[in-house]
Amino acid sequence: MNESSLGLDEPPQPNKAESYRVLARKYRPQTFSELIGQDAMVTTLANAIRRDRLAHAFLLTGVRGVGKTSTARLIAKALNCIGPDGNGGPTISPCGVCEPCRAIAEGRHIDVIEMDAASHTGVDDVREIIEASRYAAVSARYKIYIIDEVHMLSKNAFNALLKTLEEPPAHVKFLFATTEVHKVPVTVLSRCQRFDLRRISAEKLATHFAWVAEQEGAQAEPEALALIARAAEGSARDGLSILDQAIAHADMEGGGVRADAVRQMLGLSDRGAMRDLFGLLLGGDAAGVITAIRRQYDLGVDPQSVMQALLETVHGITLVKVGTPDDPAQSAEARDMLGEWAGSLSNPLLHRLWQMLLKGHEEVARAAMPIEACEMALLRIVHAASLPDPGDLARRLARGDSPPVQPVGGAQPDGPPAAPAPAPDGPPVQQLPTSLDDLAALLERHNKHAMESHVRNLISPITFDPPKMEVSAARPLPSEFLRDLAADLREITGVVWKITASDAPGEPTLRERRRADQEADRASVLAEPMVAAAMDAFPGAELASWTRKQNG
């Protein structure tokens, strides 16, 4: 016997490669406990199963990737599970080991029929379902039809399904899934138990992605996972696809999943660069804005994503201004910057910026030259930043002041360039008040009597360092009070005031100080010998008022 007869001269055969499963399929939920962010639906289903009040048709709706098809398969498992011992009934916690559970999970159960309505839209496809539904299930408790993207069925197909959907055989359940529920006829909606699957929050997605990365043995920065979760827009499937790509990119680079790499992979703008760009917009620096936007464009950032990042910045400032909790995905630097802008920018200005950026975003999306459209939109905002606020302009006209006149297009008269004129945002800067009492007196001199009364009665200062001031919010303050106070002081002094509130205790208000001084003065008067003797001589007498004689 030679070596050739034994096959020893044949080259070794390579092992058969296992096909890679993408993360979105590998980590598809197999139990209701693994379903993210749909607690209300799971509770309703659990109660229905326990009380034996199962609907004959379910409609699952929601944005892409929130788990509609996965939920339909879980419901099929829950209704057909027989338990490890083969004697179980419908349960919200299917065992996953019995034959029905395993067959449904693997997509091979003969009594669980999945159909994509996008490719089976006609009435003939529905007639096949109607005919087959008459026959009992082969091996399962229920024959279940899962129809994905059901809104794509034709009108005739829907009409053909109505009678069977309203009075189906006892052994049949229908599970419909759609992303566009408004396209489903109301006659179908009224025959189904509807579940609206919620968009998954970025925080829950980031936590889930961190767990998936750990299972895959990949290192990932929390900021990178937060970026992926934000880009997923509430879709677990989209987020897992991005995470899959990010892990592959990290392996190519020889490191973990980093935030800068994810940002580059997604074509997102750098948050710090966007904050710098927003500051240039507010400062009216046209040349700086063009330089900054071109730098982002050269790095591969989409102009439309720049406009979106600026919109998110304005939205974030507005949320801080109304007092919403901080976004945990934001850095401390970002929160500080948003807080500073929230204290210095008025609500009307933020709304103007939002509208102008929103219009610019629409223009960039439609433009044949996106980067040029982006530059023109931002320059329009720069020009608007140099114009007076409509409220300030109305107050000036009411006082009889002349509005500033600027050359059209910024043209200058002949001769040397003129020095830049001060921004028309108020009167010339004057000396700032040195105490809260001076501030109240300043408001009184400028006929701001209502605001002066509020300052004396309500403000409990923590720090007073004009034009910055921090006051205590331990006692409730009127809505928009601090904003209106900052606007009045800007109008009077010509500088922007930053007035913030915190829950820390502050000093007494001016009214409380005056009362304390009066009580101390009254006590000192009552302690004088002549007054004390008079009070003893006339029991029940009260000190109604007093006047101290001035020396000299």
Side-chain angles (χ1 to χ4, degrees), residues 244-299:
D244 216 340
Q245 182 181 356
I247 292 175
H249 182 75
D251 291 339
M252 297 280 291
E253 297 291 330
V257 179
R258 302 191 313 275
D260 56 345
V262 170
R263 189 175 286 111
Q264 183 180 9
M265 183 185 74
L266 297 175
L268 297 176
S269 54
D270 179 69
R271 297 285 169 177
M274 286 302 100
R275 291 194 294 272
D276 293 341
L277 176 59
F278 188 73
L280 294 171
L281 285 174
L282 294 179
D285 186 351
V289 166
I290 295 298
T291 301
I293 187 63
R294 281 290 176 176
R295 185 184 304 117
Q296 290 294 302
Y297 185 69
D298 292 340
L299 291 174

Side-chain angles (χ1 to χ4, degrees), residues 166-190:
E166 184 171 14
E167 298 178 359
H171 60 270
V172 173
K173 302 289 183 184
F174 289 98
L175 303 177
F176 301 141
T178 179
T179 54
E180 301 183 51
V181 69
H182 60 280
K183 293 184 179 180
V184 178
V186 66
T187 50
V188 173
L189 293 176
S190 64

Side-chain angles (χ1 to χ4, degrees), residues 320-351:
V320 173
K321 198 169 185 68
V322 300
T324 57
D326 292 335
D327 184 354
Q330 288 179 340
S331 64
E333 179 186 2
R335 288 195 293 267
D336 292 343
M337 185 64 73
L338 293 178
E340 184 174 343
W341 279 327
S344 60
L345 300 178
S346 66
N347 282 325
L349 177 58
L350 288 172
H351 293 314

Side-chain angles (χ1 to χ4, degrees), residues 33 66 71 125 129 152 164 181 348 399 424 459 486 489 501 508 513 523 552:
S33 61
V66 293
T71 300
D125 300 304
I129 295 177
M152 300 191 73
T164 303
V181 69
R399 292 197 303 264
I459 286 189
L489 292 175
R513 294 182 203 173

